[in-house]
Amino acid sequence: MVAVVRLIFALLLLLAAARAASLADEASALCDLAHLSPYGWKQYGYSPCDDGGWSTPCQKPLGGITCDNATGQVVFLDLYHQLLNGALPPSFTNLTALETVNLADNLNLQGTIPESISQLKSLKTFQINVASMTGTLPEGIGASPQLEELILSGNYFTGSIPESVFQLQNLDYLDASHNSLTGTISKSIQNWQKITMLVLEGNQLSGTIPSTLGELKLVQQIWLDDNQLTGTIPSLSKLSKLELLTLEKNALTGSFPESVCGLGKVFELSLAENQLSGSLPHALSNMESIAYLYLDDNYLSGEISSAISRRMESLQACDFSLNCFDDKGKATCRSSVTRKNCTNEY
């Protein structure tokens, strides 16, 4: 019995030592982050680098840092607009209990996101937009099943979107716009059953828009413009929450997506600068919520019906120019409905 007690006591000591070492590692990670900023928490008169390094990350209060009361580990890290300069230190992923990370608006934050980000299993929000990050997105960025917000816009990321991201079932907000991402949009996008904001504009994504996009029943805004997407627009008839859809500046073909006409909340629809053809469906005249409609620079043809014309007159803005409509459509929109030369060009 005495031997058992001693063993338990020894294990407890080992656990305590391991926990202390882990907290010291987290404090060291904060010190490494402090070196990236001219502020470095100096406004407090102290920093986690003092006295050879703190033993715990929240040894003293620090702005933008919150620790769990029970474990002492960092759960919240907000270094928004702190003029960070340089690459994320490898020790960053020692902050394994992080739930929220905001590193946005640090234009000189460089380097890549380490694969070891997979250690952050509790991550719910990861924001590193408007920076100068490069390289490919690591597969580990989708390792936290709790991830709800992933905001990576305004960087220089390349390569494809990792499959692990398409497996995130709690994702609510994805913004990876204005990078140089390539590859296709996976059919596994259907896993995003909680997503409300999908923003992938301004990349080099190619291939077709998967039909599973039409399964995202909670999505409110879809931004896929300014890519290299091809093929037809899938049915979106199930997207009853959709308010904004912008697919402009791609190479989409086929007809106007009539499935959108039955959605009662769409206020902005942009399909400009594609290769859409055929006539406009009568159902377009029944879109009572639409306020902004951009169909310019396609190959749409036929006569614009009087019902559609009347509906268009009430819009805040619309553009039907550079299409193949009959001349009767010229007064439909407030912007000029200039007819392109439609002889054998498509």
Side-chain angles (χ1 to χ4, degrees):
M1 184 65 180
V2 174
V4 173
V5 172
R6 287 177 176 172
L7 178 59
I8 294 174
F9 183 70
L11 290 173
L12 290 174
L13 287 176
L14 287 174
L15 288 172
R19 180 182 177 185
S22 175
L23 292 177
D25 287 343
E26 293 202 14
S28 179
L30 293 184
C31 175
D32 292 341
L33 287 169
H35 290 317
L36 298 182
S37 171
Y39 305 133
W41 293 293
K42 294 176 183 177
Q43 68 270 35
Y44 293 91
Y46 52 81
S47 88
C49 303
D50 291 345
D51 303 322
W54 290 356
S55 58
T56 63
C58 285
Q59 185 169 310
K60 296 180 180 179
L62 290 173
I65 304 294
T66 302
C67 289
D68 183 270
N69 290 331
T71 65
Q73 292 182 281
V74 178
V75 294
F76 181 89
L77 174 66
D78 184 356
L79 296 180
Y80 170 82
H81 192 59
Q82 292 296 301
L83 303 182
L84 302 183
N85 190 339
L88 278 177
S91 59
F92 163 71
T93 54
N94 288 337
L95 303 171
T96 56
L98 277 172
E99 297 178 4
T100 299
V101 175
N102 185 357
L103 301 174
D105 201 15
N106 287 287
L107 291 176
N108 292 316
L109 184 60
Q110 306 164 9
T112 61
I113 298 176
E115 181 61 47
S116 56
I117 195 173
S118 60
Q119 297 174 193
L120 310 187
K121 301 293 187 183
S122 300
L123 200 59
K124 294 180 180 179
T125 297
F126 185 70
Q127 187 170 352
I128 195 168
N129 53 309
V130 194
S132 298
M133 302 294 291
T134 56
T136 59
L137 299 177
E139 194 69 30
I141 201 168
S144 172
Q146 302 180 61
L147 195 60
E148 298 173 358
E149 295 185 9
L150 182 57
I151 305 176
L152 309 168
S153 55
N155 282 283
Y156 300 95
F157 292 120
T158 57
S160 59
I161 301 172
E163 184 61 28
S164 63
V165 173
F166 291 109
Q167 301 301 320
L168 293 169
Q169 297 184 12
N170 287 305
L171 196 61
D172 171 71
Y173 193 131
L174 173 63
D175 186 351
S177 62
H178 301 292
N179 282 285
S180 297
L181 297 175
T182 56
T184 61
I185 301 174
S186 171
K187 293 180 179 179
S188 300
I189 197 174
Q190 66 185 351
N191 289 317
W192 296 344
Q193 288 301 303
K194 295 183 180 181
I195 200 163
T196 59
M197 291 284 294
L198 173 55
V199 189
L200 294 174
E201 65 176 334
N203 282 288
Q204 300 170 29
L205 299 174
S206 59
T208 60
I209 300 174
S211 60
T212 47
L213 179 71
E215 301 295 326
L216 307 184
K217 298 179 182 179
L218 297 182
V219 70
Q220 298 173 14
Q221 296 190 15
I222 298 175
W223 301 72
L224 298 179
D225 50 297
D226 199 10
N227 278 288
Q228 300 170 14
L229 299 171
T230 57
T232 59
I233 300 171
S235 174
L236 304 176
S237 59
K238 297 179 182 180
L239 307 189
S240 60
K241 306 287 187 182
L242 190 64
E243 299 174 354
L244 180 148
L245 174 65
T246 174
L247 302 176
E248 65 183 47
K249 296 183 181 178
N250 281 289
L252 299 171
T253 55
S255 58
F256 181 95
E258 188 168 357
S259 62
V260 177
C261 297
L263 303 178
K265 295 186 176 182
V266 176
F267 71 87
E268 182 169 342
L269 175 62
S270 180
L271 306 176
E273 298 183 52
N274 280 289
Q275 299 172 18
L276 302 179
S277 59
S279 59
L280 297 178
H282 176 75
L284 180 58
S285 64
N286 298 323
M287 293 187 71
E288 296 183 358
S289 60
I290 193 76
Y292 302 90
L293 178 61
Y294 305 101
L295 302 178
D296 47 297
D297 204 357
N298 278 286
Y299 294 94
L300 297 167
S301 60
E303 181 180 336
I304 299 175
S305 70
S306 57
I308 293 178
S309 294
R310 287 193 299 271
R311 183 70 193 91
M312 297 306 104
E313 288 173 359
S314 65
L315 298 186
Q316 295 291 319
C318 65
D319 192 346
F320 284 16
S321 64
L322 297 175
N323 274 289
C324 305
F325 293 118
D326 292 345
D327 289 345
K328 293 180 180 179
K330 282 188 175 179
T332 300
C333 282
R334 292 172 182 166
S335 55
S336 172
V337 187
T338 306
R339 190 176 188 275
K340 63 167 66 171
N341 180 2
C342 295
T343 305
N344 299 322
E345 79 285 60
Y346 178 71

